[in-house]
C-alpha cells in the first residue's frame, strides 16, 4: 500500500493534471492570452514531476529499468521544465527582463550538468540526490536543482502579486491562495537547499528536517491548484453576473423603447440595434420634456417625496411617471384633435410641434444607459401608472374648475 508521501504526491499530481486539462479546454475555447497557456503547461509539468517523484513510482521505475534513481532525474527535469514555462508566463506579463532564449539556455545547461553528474556517479548509487548520500556529486546535483527551482519560484511569487493587482476582490483571493501554495513550496525547497549547502561544506554534518520539504512540495501544488480553481470559479461567477446585469439592462431598455415609440412620428423600421433604440429613446425623452410643464413635474416630485416616506421608490420613477403622463397626453390629442395638449399649458401651446426632431445623443454614456434601464424597470411598477393617472385627473379637474394647479 502506498505510504503517506506517495498518496500526497500522487493526489497533488492528479489535481494538477485535472486543472491543466481544464485550463487547456478553457483557453482553447475562449482565446485567452499566451500567458495562460504558459501557466497551463507549467502546472502540467509540475504535476507530472510529482507523479514521477512519488516514492512508490521511484521504486517501480528502479525495478523496471534496473537503474537507481532514474525516476529522480525524470522528476527533477520535469520540474525544471515547469519553471521554463513559468518564466514564459512572467515574460508575457512584463515581469521578466531576461529573454526567453537565455531562459532556455540556462535550463539546458543546468539539466545537462545534472544528467552528467547522474551518469557519472548516480546510476548505480543508492540514495543519489538525497541527504543520505553526502558525496559531493550527489549534493552538487541537488544544489543545482534546488537553486534553480528556488530562484524561479521566488520570481513567480512576485509575478502573481502583479497579477492580483488587476483583478477583482474575489479573484484576488484565489491568486492569494495560489501564492500561498508557491510560498509553501518555496519554504520547503529553501530548507532542503540549506541542508544541501551545509552537506557540501561538511559532509559529516547530520541532516535535519530533510523530510520537511517532501511534504511541502505536494502541499504547495495542491494549494496552487486550489487557488487557480477558486480564481477561475470566481471569475466565471462574476462573468455570469455581468451577463445577467447586461441582459436585464437590455430588457429594460427594450421595454422603454417599445413604450416610447408612440411619441415618435418618424420611426425606423425594425429590427433595430441597441444603439438605434437608444437614439429613438433620447428623441422621445426630449418630446416628454416638452409635453410636461413645470407645475406637473413639481406635482410628480411632491407625490414621490410623500411616497418615499413609506415605501422604497426605485431610481427612474419620476421620469417613468413623466413618460406615462406624456403618452396619455398624446393619446388624448390623437383621440380628440381639438383638445389642448396638457392641463395647465398656455393657449399658444397649440402652435408647438408635437413631434419635434432632436439630435441629443447620449448613446455612448454608460451612466446614461444605466439610467435609461432604471427608467425601463420603473415603467413596470403599477404605482407609476397610478401616480400618473392620479396627477392627470387632478390637473384636468383643476383646470375645468378654473383653479390653479399645484
Amino acid at each position: 500500500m502506498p505510504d503517506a508521501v506517495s498518496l500526497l504526491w500522487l493526489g497533488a499530481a492528479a489535481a494538477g493534471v485535472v486543472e491543466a486539462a481544464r485550463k487547456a479546454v478553457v483557453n482553447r475555447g475562449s482565446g485567452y492570452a499566451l500567458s495562460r497557456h504558459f501557466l497551463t503547461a507549467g502546472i502540467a509539468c509540475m504535476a507530472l514531476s510529482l507523479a514521477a517523484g512519488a516514492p512508490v513510482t521511484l521504486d517501480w521505475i528502479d525495478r523496471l529499468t534496473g537503474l537507481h534513481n532514474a525516476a529522480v532525474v525524470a522528476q527533477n527535469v520535469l520540474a525544471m521544465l515547469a519553471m521554463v514555462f513559468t518564466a514564459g508566463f512572467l515574460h508575457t506579463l512584463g515581469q521578466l527582463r531576461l529573454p526567453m532564449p537565455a531562459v532556455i539556455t540556462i535550463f539546458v545547461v543546468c539539466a545537462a550538468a545534472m544528467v552528467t553528474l547522474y551518469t557519472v556517479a548516480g546510476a548505480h548509487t543508492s540514495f543519489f540526490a538525497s541527504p543520505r548520500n553526502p558525496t559531493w556529486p550527489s549534493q552538487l546535483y541537488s544544489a543545482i536543482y534546488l537553486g534553480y527551482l528556488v530562484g524561479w519560484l521566488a520570481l513567480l511569487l512576485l509575478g502573481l502579486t502583479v497579477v492580483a493587482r488587476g483583478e477583482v476582490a474575489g479573484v484576488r483571493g484565489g491568486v492569494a491562495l495560489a501564492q500561498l501554495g508557491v510560498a509553501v513550496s518555496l519554504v520547503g525547497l529553501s530548507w532542503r537547499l540549506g541542508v544541501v549547502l551545509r552537506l557540501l561544506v561538511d559532509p559529516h554534518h547530520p541532516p535535519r528536517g530533510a523530510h520537511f520539504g517532501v511534504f511541502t512540495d505536494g502541499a504547495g501544488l495542491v494549494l496552487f491548484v486550489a487557488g487557480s480553481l477558486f480564481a477561475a470559479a470566481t471569475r466565471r461567477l462574476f462573468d455570469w453576473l455581468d451577463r445577467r446585469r447586461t441582459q436585464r439592462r437590455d430588457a429594460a431598455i427594450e421595454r422603454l423603447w417599445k413604450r416610447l415609440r408612440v411619441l415618435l412620428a418618424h420611426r425606423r423600421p425594425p429590427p433595430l440595434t441597441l444603439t438605434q433604440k437608444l437614439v429613438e429613446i433620447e428623441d422621445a425623452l426630449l418630446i416628454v420634456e416638452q409635453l410636461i410643464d413645470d407645475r406637473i413635474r413639481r406635482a410628480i416630485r411632491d407625490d414621490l417625496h410623500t411616497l418615499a416616506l413609506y415605501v422604497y421608490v426605485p431610481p427612474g420613477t419620476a421620469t417613468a411617471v413623466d413618460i406615462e403622463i406624456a403618452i396619455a397626453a398624446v393619446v388624448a390629442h390623437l383621440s380628440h384633435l381639438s383638445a389642448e395638449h396638457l392641463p395647465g399649458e398656455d393657449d399658444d401651446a397649440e402652435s408647438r410641434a408635437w413631434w419635434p426632431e432632436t439630435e441629443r445623443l447620449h448613446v455612448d454614456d454608460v451612466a446614461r444607459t444605466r439610467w435609461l434601464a432604471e427608467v425601463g424597470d420603473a415603467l413596470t411598477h403599477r404605482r407609476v401608472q397610478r401616480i400618473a393617472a392620479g396627477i392627470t385627473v387632478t390637473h384636468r379637474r383643476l383646470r375645468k374648475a378654473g383653479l390653479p394647479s399645484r
Side-chain angles (χ1 to χ4, degrees), residues 22-73:
R22 184 196 67 80
K23 279 184 172 293
V25 172
V26 172
N27 293 352
R28 183 184 61 180
S30 304
Y32 277 108
L34 182 61
S35 61
R36 300 202 176 202
H37 294 291
F38 276 125
L39 186 60
T40 300
I43 293 175
C45 287
M46 187 56 72
L48 294 176
S49 170
L50 288 181
V56 64
T57 308
L58 295 178
D59 295 339
W60 177 72
I61 293 181
D62 285 350
R63 291 194 302 270
L64 183 66
T65 61
L67 298 173
H68 292 289
N69 312 303
V72 172
V73 178

Short mmCIF file of all heavy atoms in Angstrom, two decimals, residues 22-73:
data_model
loop_
_atom_site.label_atom_id
_atom_site.label_comp_id
_atom_site.label_asym_id
_atom_site.label_seq_id
_atom_site.Cartn_x
_atom_site.Cartn_y
_atom_site.Cartn_z
N ARG A 22 -8.34 21.28 -17.57
CA ARG A 22 -9.43 22.27 -17.57
C ARG A 22 -8.99 23.59 -18.19
O ARG A 22 -9.69 24.18 -19.01
CB ARG A 22 -9.90 22.50 -16.13
CG ARG A 22 -11.10 23.43 -16.01
CD ARG A 22 -11.27 23.94 -14.60
NE ARG A 22 -10.19 24.82 -14.21
CZ ARG A 22 -10.12 26.11 -14.56
NH1 ARG A 22 -11.07 26.65 -15.30
NH2 ARG A 22 -9.11 26.84 -14.17
N LYS A 23 -7.81 24.04 -17.81
CA LYS A 23 -7.30 25.28 -18.36
C LYS A 23 -7.08 25.18 -19.86
O LYS A 23 -7.35 26.13 -20.61
CB LYS A 23 -5.99 25.68 -17.67
CG LYS A 23 -6.17 26.36 -16.31
CD LYS A 23 -4.83 26.79 -15.75
CE LYS A 23 -5.01 27.63 -14.51
NZ LYS A 23 -5.66 28.93 -14.82
N ALA A 24 -6.59 24.02 -20.32
CA ALA A 24 -6.36 23.85 -21.75
C ALA A 24 -7.66 23.96 -22.53
O ALA A 24 -7.72 24.59 -23.60
CB ALA A 24 -5.69 22.50 -22.02
N VAL A 25 -8.73 23.37 -22.00
CA VAL A 25 -10.03 23.44 -22.68
C VAL A 25 -10.57 24.86 -22.66
O VAL A 25 -11.05 25.39 -23.68
CB VAL A 25 -11.04 22.47 -22.01
CG1 VAL A 25 -12.43 22.67 -22.58
CG2 VAL A 25 -10.58 21.03 -22.20
N VAL A 26 -10.49 25.52 -21.51
CA VAL A 26 -11.00 26.89 -21.40
C VAL A 26 -10.19 27.84 -22.27
O VAL A 26 -10.74 28.70 -22.97
CB VAL A 26 -10.97 27.35 -19.92
CG1 VAL A 26 -11.31 28.84 -19.83
CG2 VAL A 26 -11.95 26.54 -19.10
N ASN A 27 -8.87 27.70 -22.26
CA ASN A 27 -8.03 28.59 -23.05
C ASN A 27 -8.29 28.44 -24.54
O ASN A 27 -8.34 29.42 -25.28
CB ASN A 27 -6.55 28.30 -22.77
CG ASN A 27 -6.15 28.65 -21.36
OD1 ASN A 27 -6.92 29.25 -20.61
ND2 ASN A 27 -4.95 28.27 -20.97
N ARG A 28 -8.49 27.21 -24.98
CA ARG A 28 -8.73 26.99 -26.40
C ARG A 28 -10.08 27.53 -26.82
O ARG A 28 -10.22 28.12 -27.90
CB ARG A 28 -8.67 25.48 -26.71
CG ARG A 28 -8.84 25.15 -28.19
CD ARG A 28 -8.86 23.65 -28.39
NE ARG A 28 -9.95 23.02 -27.68
CZ ARG A 28 -10.20 21.71 -27.70
NH1 ARG A 28 -9.37 20.91 -28.35
NH2 ARG A 28 -11.21 21.20 -27.03
N GLY A 29 -11.09 27.41 -25.96
CA GLY A 29 -12.43 27.87 -26.33
C GLY A 29 -12.62 29.36 -26.23
O GLY A 29 -13.51 29.91 -26.85
N SER A 30 -11.80 30.04 -25.43
CA SER A 30 -12.01 31.47 -25.20
C SER A 30 -10.91 32.35 -25.75
O SER A 30 -10.99 33.56 -25.64
CB SER A 30 -12.16 31.72 -23.69
OG SER A 30 -13.19 30.94 -23.15
N GLY A 31 -9.88 31.76 -26.33
CA GLY A 31 -8.82 32.57 -26.91
C GLY A 31 -8.08 33.41 -25.90
O GLY A 31 -7.85 34.60 -26.10
N TYR A 32 -7.71 32.80 -24.77
CA TYR A 32 -7.03 33.55 -23.72
C TYR A 32 -5.62 33.93 -24.15
O TYR A 32 -5.08 33.43 -25.14
CB TYR A 32 -6.98 32.73 -22.43
CG TYR A 32 -8.24 32.80 -21.61
CD1 TYR A 32 -9.11 31.74 -21.52
CD2 TYR A 32 -8.57 33.97 -20.93
CE1 TYR A 32 -10.26 31.81 -20.78
CE2 TYR A 32 -9.71 34.06 -20.17
CZ TYR A 32 -10.55 32.98 -20.09
OH TYR A 32 -11.70 33.06 -19.35
N ALA A 33 -4.99 34.78 -23.39
CA ALA A 33 -3.66 35.28 -23.70
C ALA A 33 -2.62 34.17 -23.59
O ALA A 33 -2.84 33.13 -22.96
CB ALA A 33 -3.31 36.44 -22.78
N LEU A 34 -1.46 34.42 -24.19
CA LEU A 34 -0.38 33.45 -24.19
C LEU A 34 0.08 33.13 -22.78
O LEU A 34 0.52 32.00 -22.50
CB LEU A 34 0.79 33.99 -25.03
CG LEU A 34 2.01 33.08 -25.20
CD1 LEU A 34 1.62 31.79 -25.90
CD2 LEU A 34 3.10 33.80 -25.97
N SER A 35 -0.01 34.09 -21.87
CA SER A 35 0.44 33.85 -20.50
C SER A 35 -0.31 32.69 -19.86
O SER A 35 0.28 31.90 -19.10
CB SER A 35 0.25 35.12 -19.66
OG SER A 35 -1.11 35.49 -19.61
N ARG A 36 -1.58 32.54 -20.18
CA ARG A 36 -2.36 31.45 -19.59
C ARG A 36 -1.93 30.10 -20.14
O ARG A 36 -1.99 29.08 -19.44
CB ARG A 36 -3.84 31.69 -19.81
CG ARG A 36 -4.32 33.00 -19.20
CD ARG A 36 -5.81 32.99 -18.97
NE ARG A 36 -6.23 34.21 -18.31
CZ ARG A 36 -7.33 34.32 -17.61
NH1 ARG A 36 -8.11 33.28 -17.46
NH2 ARG A 36 -7.66 35.46 -17.04
N HIS A 37 -1.53 30.07 -21.40
CA HIS A 37 -1.03 28.81 -21.96
C HIS A 37 0.28 28.40 -21.29
O HIS A 37 0.50 27.22 -21.01
CB HIS A 37 -0.84 28.96 -23.47
CG HIS A 37 -2.11 29.18 -24.23
ND1 HIS A 37 -3.07 28.20 -24.39
CD2 HIS A 37 -2.59 30.27 -24.87
CE1 HIS A 37 -4.08 28.67 -25.09
NE2 HIS A 37 -3.82 29.93 -25.40
N PHE A 38 1.15 29.35 -21.04
CA PHE A 38 2.39 29.06 -20.33
C PHE A 38 2.09 28.52 -18.94
O PHE A 38 2.72 27.55 -18.48
CB PHE A 38 3.26 30.32 -20.23
CG PHE A 38 4.10 30.59 -21.44
CD1 PHE A 38 4.02 31.80 -22.10
CD2 PHE A 38 4.97 29.63 -21.94
CE1 PHE A 38 4.79 32.05 -23.22
CE2 PHE A 38 5.74 29.87 -23.05
CZ PHE A 38 5.66 31.08 -23.70
N LEU A 39 1.15 29.16 -18.24
CA LEU A 39 0.81 28.71 -16.88
C LEU A 39 0.22 27.31 -16.90
O LEU A 39 0.53 26.48 -16.03
CB LEU A 39 -0.17 29.70 -16.25
CG LEU A 39 -0.52 29.47 -14.78
CD1 LEU A 39 0.74 29.53 -13.92
CD2 LEU A 39 -1.54 30.49 -14.31
N THR A 40 -0.62 27.01 -17.90
CA THR A 40 -1.20 25.68 -18.02
C THR A 40 -0.13 24.62 -18.23
O THR A 40 -0.13 23.57 -17.58
CB THR A 40 -2.19 25.65 -19.20
OG1 THR A 40 -3.23 26.60 -18.98
CG2 THR A 40 -2.81 24.27 -19.35
N ALA A 41 0.82 24.89 -19.12
CA ALA A 41 1.91 23.94 -19.36
C ALA A 41 2.77 23.76 -18.11
O ALA A 41 3.23 22.64 -17.82
CB ALA A 41 2.76 24.42 -20.53
N GLY A 42 3.00 24.84 -17.38
CA GLY A 42 3.78 24.74 -16.15
C GLY A 42 3.11 23.87 -15.11
O GLY A 42 3.78 23.04 -14.45
N ILE A 43 1.80 24.02 -14.95
CA ILE A 43 1.07 23.18 -13.98
C ILE A 43 1.14 21.72 -14.40
O ILE A 43 1.34 20.82 -13.56
CB ILE A 43 -0.39 23.66 -13.87
CG1 ILE A 43 -0.44 25.05 -13.23
CG2 ILE A 43 -1.21 22.68 -13.06
CD1 ILE A 43 -1.84 25.64 -13.19
N ALA A 44 0.98 21.45 -15.69
CA ALA A 44 1.01 20.07 -16.18
C ALA A 44 2.38 19.44 -15.92
O ALA A 44 2.47 18.28 -15.45
CB ALA A 44 0.68 20.03 -17.66
N CYS A 45 3.45 20.17 -16.21
CA CYS A 45 4.80 19.62 -15.99
C CYS A 45 5.07 19.38 -14.51
O CYS A 45 5.67 18.35 -14.13
CB CYS A 45 5.84 20.57 -16.57
SG CYS A 45 5.92 20.56 -18.37
N MET A 46 4.64 20.30 -13.66
CA MET A 46 4.86 20.11 -12.22
C MET A 46 4.05 18.92 -11.69
O MET A 46 4.54 18.17 -10.82
CB MET A 46 4.49 21.38 -11.47
CG MET A 46 4.85 21.35 -9.99
SD MET A 46 6.60 21.01 -9.68
CE MET A 46 7.33 22.56 -10.21
N ALA A 47 2.84 18.72 -12.22
CA ALA A 47 2.04 17.58 -11.79
C ALA A 47 2.71 16.27 -12.21
O ALA A 47 2.79 15.31 -11.43
CB ALA A 47 0.64 17.68 -12.38
N LEU A 48 3.21 16.21 -13.45
CA LEU A 48 3.91 15.00 -13.90
C LEU A 48 5.19 14.78 -13.10
O LEU A 48 5.58 13.63 -12.84
CB LEU A 48 4.23 15.13 -15.39
CG LEU A 48 3.02 15.15 -16.34
CD1 LEU A 48 3.47 15.37 -17.77
CD2 LEU A 48 2.22 13.85 -16.22
N SER A 49 5.83 15.88 -12.70
CA SER A 49 7.03 15.76 -11.88
C SER A 49 6.72 15.10 -10.54
O SER A 49 7.46 14.21 -10.09
CB SER A 49 7.64 17.15 -11.67
OG SER A 49 8.66 17.12 -10.71
N LEU A 50 5.62 15.53 -9.91
CA LEU A 50 5.25 14.92 -8.64
C LEU A 50 4.86 13.46 -8.81
O LEU A 50 5.17 12.62 -7.95
CB LEU A 50 4.10 15.70 -8.01
CG LEU A 50 4.44 17.09 -7.43
CD1 LEU A 50 3.21 17.73 -6.82
CD2 LEU A 50 5.55 16.99 -6.40
N ALA A 51 4.19 13.14 -9.92
CA ALA A 51 3.82 11.74 -10.17
C ALA A 51 5.06 10.87 -10.33
O ALA A 51 5.12 9.74 -9.84
CB ALA A 51 2.94 11.67 -11.41
N ALA A 52 6.07 11.43 -11.01
CA ALA A 52 7.31 10.65 -11.21
C ALA A 52 8.12 10.55 -9.94
O ALA A 52 8.88 9.58 -9.75
CB ALA A 52 8.15 11.29 -12.32
N GLY A 53 8.00 11.54 -9.05
CA GLY A 53 8.82 11.57 -7.85
C GLY A 53 8.21 10.92 -6.63
O GLY A 53 8.87 10.86 -5.57
N ALA A 54 6.99 10.42 -6.72
CA ALA A 54 6.39 9.74 -5.58
C ALA A 54 7.21 8.49 -5.23
O ALA A 54 7.70 7.79 -6.13
CB ALA A 54 4.95 9.36 -5.89
N PRO A 55 7.40 8.21 -3.94
CA PRO A 55 8.22 7.05 -3.56
C PRO A 55 7.80 5.75 -4.22
O PRO A 55 8.65 4.94 -4.63
CB PRO A 55 8.06 6.99 -2.04
CG PRO A 55 7.80 8.41 -1.65
CD PRO A 55 6.99 8.99 -2.77
N VAL A 56 6.49 5.51 -4.36
CA VAL A 56 6.04 4.27 -4.98
C VAL A 56 6.42 4.23 -6.44
O VAL A 56 6.76 3.17 -7.00
CB VAL A 56 4.51 4.12 -4.79
CG1 VAL A 56 3.76 5.22 -5.52
CG2 VAL A 56 4.04 2.75 -5.27
N THR A 57 6.42 5.40 -7.11
CA THR A 57 6.84 5.47 -8.52
C THR A 57 8.34 5.25 -8.65
O THR A 57 8.81 4.58 -9.59
CB THR A 57 6.45 6.83 -9.12
OG1 THR A 57 5.07 7.09 -8.89
CG2 THR A 57 6.70 6.85 -10.62
N LEU A 58 9.12 5.83 -7.73
CA LEU A 58 10.57 5.66 -7.76
C LEU A 58 10.95 4.18 -7.66
O LEU A 58 11.80 3.69 -8.43
CB LEU A 58 11.21 6.44 -6.61
CG LEU A 58 11.08 7.97 -6.64
CD1 LEU A 58 11.73 8.56 -5.39
CD2 LEU A 58 11.73 8.53 -7.89
N ASP A 59 10.33 3.45 -6.74
CA ASP A 59 10.64 2.03 -6.57
C ASP A 59 10.26 1.24 -7.81
O ASP A 59 10.99 0.35 -8.26
CB ASP A 59 9.91 1.48 -5.34
CG ASP A 59 10.40 2.12 -4.04
OD1 ASP A 59 11.53 2.66 -4.05
OD2 ASP A 59 9.66 2.10 -3.05
N TRP A 60 9.10 1.57 -8.37
CA TRP A 60 8.62 0.82 -9.55
C TRP A 60 9.55 1.04 -10.75
O TRP A 60 9.89 0.09 -11.46
CB TRP A 60 7.20 1.26 -9.87
CG TRP A 60 6.64 0.61 -11.10
CD1 TRP A 60 6.25 -0.68 -11.25
CD2 TRP A 60 6.45 1.23 -12.38
NE1 TRP A 60 5.81 -0.93 -12.53
CE2 TRP A 60 5.91 0.25 -13.25
CE3 TRP A 60 6.66 2.52 -12.86
CZ2 TRP A 60 5.60 0.51 -14.57
CZ3 TRP A 60 6.34 2.79 -14.18
CH2 TRP A 60 5.83 1.80 -15.03
N ILE A 61 9.97 2.28 -10.99
CA ILE A 61 10.85 2.57 -12.14
C ILE A 61 12.23 1.97 -11.93
O ILE A 61 12.87 1.49 -12.87
CB ILE A 61 10.92 4.09 -12.38
CG1 ILE A 61 9.55 4.60 -12.84
CG2 ILE A 61 11.99 4.44 -13.40
CD1 ILE A 61 9.50 6.08 -13.12
N ASP A 62 12.72 1.98 -10.69
CA ASP A 62 14.01 1.35 -10.41
C ASP A 62 13.98 -0.14 -10.74
O ASP A 62 14.93 -0.69 -11.34
CB ASP A 62 14.41 1.56 -8.96
CG ASP A 62 14.88 2.98 -8.68
OD1 ASP A 62 15.07 3.74 -9.66
OD2 ASP A 62 15.04 3.34 -7.49
N ARG A 63 12.92 -0.83 -10.36
CA ARG A 63 12.80 -2.26 -10.67
C ARG A 63 12.63 -2.48 -12.18
O ARG A 63 13.14 -3.45 -12.73
CB ARG A 63 11.61 -2.86 -9.92
CG ARG A 63 11.80 -2.95 -8.42
CD ARG A 63 10.76 -3.85 -7.79
NE ARG A 63 9.40 -3.40 -8.07
CZ ARG A 63 8.71 -2.55 -7.29
NH1 ARG A 63 9.28 -2.08 -6.17
NH2 ARG A 63 7.49 -2.20 -7.60
N LEU A 64 11.91 -1.54 -12.83
CA LEU A 64 11.64 -1.70 -14.26
C LEU A 64 12.90 -1.48 -15.10
O LEU A 64 13.15 -2.22 -16.06
CB LEU A 64 10.55 -0.72 -14.68
CG LEU A 64 10.08 -0.80 -16.14
CD1 LEU A 64 9.38 -2.13 -16.40
CD2 LEU A 64 9.14 0.36 -16.46
N THR A 65 13.69 -0.48 -14.76
CA THR A 65 14.87 -0.13 -15.56
C THR A 65 16.15 -0.81 -15.08
O THR A 65 17.12 -0.90 -15.84
CB THR A 65 15.09 1.39 -15.54
OG1 THR A 65 15.32 1.82 -14.18
CG2 THR A 65 13.88 2.12 -16.11
N GLY A 66 16.18 -1.25 -13.85
CA GLY A 66 17.40 -1.82 -13.31
C GLY A 66 18.43 -0.77 -12.94
O GLY A 66 19.57 -1.11 -12.63
N LEU A 67 18.06 0.50 -12.99
CA LEU A 67 18.95 1.61 -12.63
C LEU A 67 18.46 2.27 -11.35
O LEU A 67 17.24 2.30 -11.09
CB LEU A 67 19.01 2.65 -13.76
CG LEU A 67 19.54 2.18 -15.10
CD1 LEU A 67 19.37 3.28 -16.14
CD2 LEU A 67 21.02 1.77 -14.98
N HIS A 68 19.37 2.79 -10.60
CA HIS A 68 19.00 3.52 -9.40
C HIS A 68 18.67 4.98 -9.76
O HIS A 68 19.35 5.60 -10.58
CB HIS A 68 20.12 3.49 -8.36
CG HIS A 68 20.38 2.15 -7.77
ND1 HIS A 68 19.50 1.55 -6.89
CD2 HIS A 68 21.39 1.26 -7.95
CE1 HIS A 68 19.97 0.37 -6.54
NE2 HIS A 68 21.13 0.16 -7.17
N ASN A 69 17.60 5.51 -9.17
CA ASN A 69 17.32 6.95 -9.20
C ASN A 69 16.99 7.50 -10.60
O ASN A 69 17.09 8.71 -10.84
CB ASN A 69 18.52 7.75 -8.65
CG ASN A 69 19.02 7.19 -7.33
OD1 ASN A 69 18.27 7.08 -6.37
ND2 ASN A 69 20.30 6.82 -7.31
N ALA A 70 16.60 6.63 -11.54
CA ALA A 70 16.23 7.13 -12.87
C ALA A 70 15.00 8.04 -12.79
O ALA A 70 14.91 9.08 -13.48
CB ALA A 70 15.97 5.96 -13.81
N ALA A 71 14.04 7.68 -11.95
CA ALA A 71 12.84 8.50 -11.82
C ALA A 71 13.14 9.84 -11.15
O ALA A 71 12.44 10.83 -11.40
CB ALA A 71 11.77 7.74 -11.01
N VAL A 72 14.19 9.88 -10.31
CA VAL A 72 14.57 11.14 -9.67
C VAL A 72 14.99 12.16 -10.72
O VAL A 72 14.59 13.33 -10.69
CB VAL A 72 15.70 10.91 -8.65
CG1 VAL A 72 16.22 12.24 -8.13
CG2 VAL A 72 15.22 10.05 -7.51
N VAL A 73 15.79 11.69 -11.68
CA VAL A 73 16.23 12.60 -12.74
C VAL A 73 15.04 13.05 -13.58
O VAL A 73 14.91 14.23 -13.92
CB VAL A 73 17.29 11.90 -13.63
CG1 VAL A 73 17.71 12.82 -14.78
CG2 VAL A 73 18.49 11.51 -12.81
#
